[in-house]
Amino acid sequence: MHLSIVIPLLNEAESLSELHDWIVSVMQSNRFLYDILFIDDGSTDGSWEVIEGLAAANPNVRGIRFLKNYGKSQALHAGFRQAQGDIVITMDADLQDNPEEIPAMVRQIREEGYHLVSGWKKKRYDSLLMKNLPSKLFNWAARKTSGVRLHDFNCGLKAFRSEVIKEIEVSGEMHRYIPVLAKNAGFTRIGEQVVQHQARKFGKTKFGAERFINGFLDLITIWFVSKFGKRPMHLFGALGVLMFLIGFGFALYLGIDKLFLNPAGRLLTDRPQFFLALAAMIMGTQFFLSGFVGEMILRTKRGGERYSIYETVNLGETAQQVPAPRANP
């Protein structure tokens, strides 16, 4: 059994060596074949130098360095593309995720047939008002909206079958909703495991209160995409036809009223109902065209990377790279 451990990070130089040694100890004691893939999301504190040192000492360590900070979702996307294991583990680099949970998650996938097993930080060492309560509200909304019965969508510690991470597309800020993306792709056997949450040992959190606002906006986005992402005409076309028919019905009534029922009455342009009918027909036409354009884009779009890789270590020649920026003269 080959495991790939994918670890996105930003300015975690102090914790990387300890995390590496902890993971290696767990892998060796369980006799797992493994590789550790660190994705440096534009760190400025020497994290990449630590990764290079770990890779030089351990050939199972691989690294990707982004040109700048692109976000956790893009880091995971790059890591998933390079992951080679039968089972892929994701975890954070801040030592708050416990590598000793990995063997139990692997057993759930191998023996119980799960496609994905997500960690649940049942007891957290975070601020009650700033993190715990907003997180509970966020997870409740995600459960109700997506239908995925997880207590902790945003736990960094997860285990996947390799076919899951090769199939889903993680972009924007959608790393919070990987279980929902997996479900929408057809991987419905999603399990959960209570995991130990460690208090942060070094540095400080990279996420502020705004992540919950962004999280709820992303939740609306993923709900819409899951419902209508493959068929935008079903939403916009239906709204367009409905509004056009309402406007046309108003206009037809006004025309009949003016011609046959009350020909001596006010001019049509003096009646506010006329402008409401006209606006409804125009908006209906625009909605319909939006759905049509969405269908055309969906059929002609081509995927593209949303990040630039600056350099890699132990990845061979397969990784996309960009030249180092030139110094100003």
Side-chain angles (χ1 to χ4, degrees):
M1 177 61 63
H2 185 172
L3 306 185
S4 288
I5 295 96
V6 177
I7 306 174
L9 63 106
L10 174 64
N11 294 333
E12 299 287 358
E14 295 175 300
S15 64
L16 293 179
S17 294
E18 183 175 340
L19 177 61
H20 166 268
D21 293 345
W22 199 358
I23 293 173
V24 170
S25 174
V26 172
M27 296 297 106
Q28 291 177 345
S29 63
N30 289 272
R31 299 183 179 180
F32 289 136
L33 297 175
Y34 73 96
D35 64 284
I36 304 172
L37 183 56
F38 291 105
I39 303 93
D40 183 351
D41 187 20
S43 295
T44 57
D45 69 339
S47 292
W48 181 248
E49 287 72 19
V50 176
I51 294 170
E52 287 182 314
L54 294 173
N58 182 356
N60 293 321
V61 172
R62 303 188 293 155
I64 295 174
R65 184 185 184 189
F66 281 178
L67 187 63
K68 64 175 186 177
N69 176 239
Y70 290 99
K72 187 175 182 178
S73 291
Q74 282 59 245
L76 287 173
H77 182 275
F80 288 166
R81 286 194 60 186
Q82 295 296 333
Q84 301 172 353
D86 305 299
I87 294 177
V88 178
I89 309 294
T90 61
M91 62 188 307
D92 294 335
D94 55 11
L95 295 175
Q96 291 191 283
D97 293 333
N98 188 340
E100 293 175 13
E101 310 282 359
I102 293 175
M105 303 179 89
V106 170
R107 280 195 295 271
Q108 286 197 63
I109 289 180
R110 293 182 62 185
E111 299 174 8
E112 300 180 36
Y114 286 108
H115 297 125
L116 180 163
V117 176
S118 180
W120 173 18
K121 297 175 181 177
K122 195 171 184 178
K123 182 178 180 181
R124 301 178 64 100
Y125 292 94
D126 294 321
S127 166
L128 178 64
L129 292 178
M130 294 301 296
K131 282 197 173 183
N132 284 7
L133 290 179
S135 181
K136 288 181 183 298
L137 178 61
F138 164 79
N139 286 312
W140 173 83
R143 283 195 299 274
K144 293 296 183 181
T145 304
S146 68
V148 178
R149 313 308 297 176
L150 293 178
H151 292 87
D152 190 355
F153 282 81
N154 202 31
C155 179
L157 186 58
K158 292 181 174 69
F160 308 83
R161 291 185 182 272
S162 61
E163 55 265 30
V164 177
I165 57 100
K166 299 301 183 183
E167 181 67 24
I168 62 177
E169 179 81 11
V170 184
S171 60
E173 293 293 327
M174 294 301 177
H175 60 272
R176 303 177 181 90
Y177 303 107
I178 290 179
V180 183
L181 296 174
K183 179 196 172 188
N184 292 342
F187 300 102
T188 56
R189 289 192 54 80
I190 299 173
E192 188 171 49
Q193 175 178 308
V194 176
V195 297
Q196 182 180 356
H197 184 220
Q198 311 284 123
R200 175 175 275 275
K201 191 172 182 179
F202 302 107
K204 59 182 180 180
T205 182
K206 310 301 186 299
F207 301 99
E210 72 277 1
R211 71 171 182 152
F212 294 105
I213 298 174
N214 295 336
F216 283 111
L217 294 176
D218 290 336
L219 184 60
I220 296 172
T221 299
I222 204 168
W223 172 83
F224 174 82
V225 170
S226 66
K227 293 288 185 182
F228 304 105
K230 300 296 184 184
R231 43 192 174 88
M233 185 56 112
H234 287 199
L235 175 65
F236 292 107
L239 285 175
V241 169
L242 177 63
M243 293 195 69
F244 185 88
L245 289 177
I246 291 173
F248 182 78
F250 258 113
L252 183 63
Y253 164 75
L254 292 173
I256 293 174
D257 180 67
K258 180 62 177 175
L259 291 175
F260 302 108
L261 301 179
N262 190 18
R266 288 183 299 170
L267 295 174
L268 288 180
T269 52
D270 291 336
R271 302 178 68 172
Q273 294 91 334
F274 171 77
F275 295 100
L276 290 174
L278 186 62
M281 286 191 288
I282 292 173
M283 292 176 64
T285 302
Q286 290 177 328
F287 271 120
F288 186 87
L289 290 176
S290 296
F292 180 75
V293 171
E295 292 281 349
M296 297 298 294
I297 293 174
L298 191 64
R299 283 160 173 72
T300 59
K301 72 172 184 177
R302 293 185 178 180
E305 306 299 355
R306 300 172 179 85
Y307 49 85
S308 297
I309 295 175
Y310 182 28
E311 56 185 316
T312 66
V313 60
N314 285 354
L315 284 187
E317 300 299 324
T318 60
Q320 170 195 1
Q321 297 192 28
V322 297
R326 295 179 180 178
N328 294 327

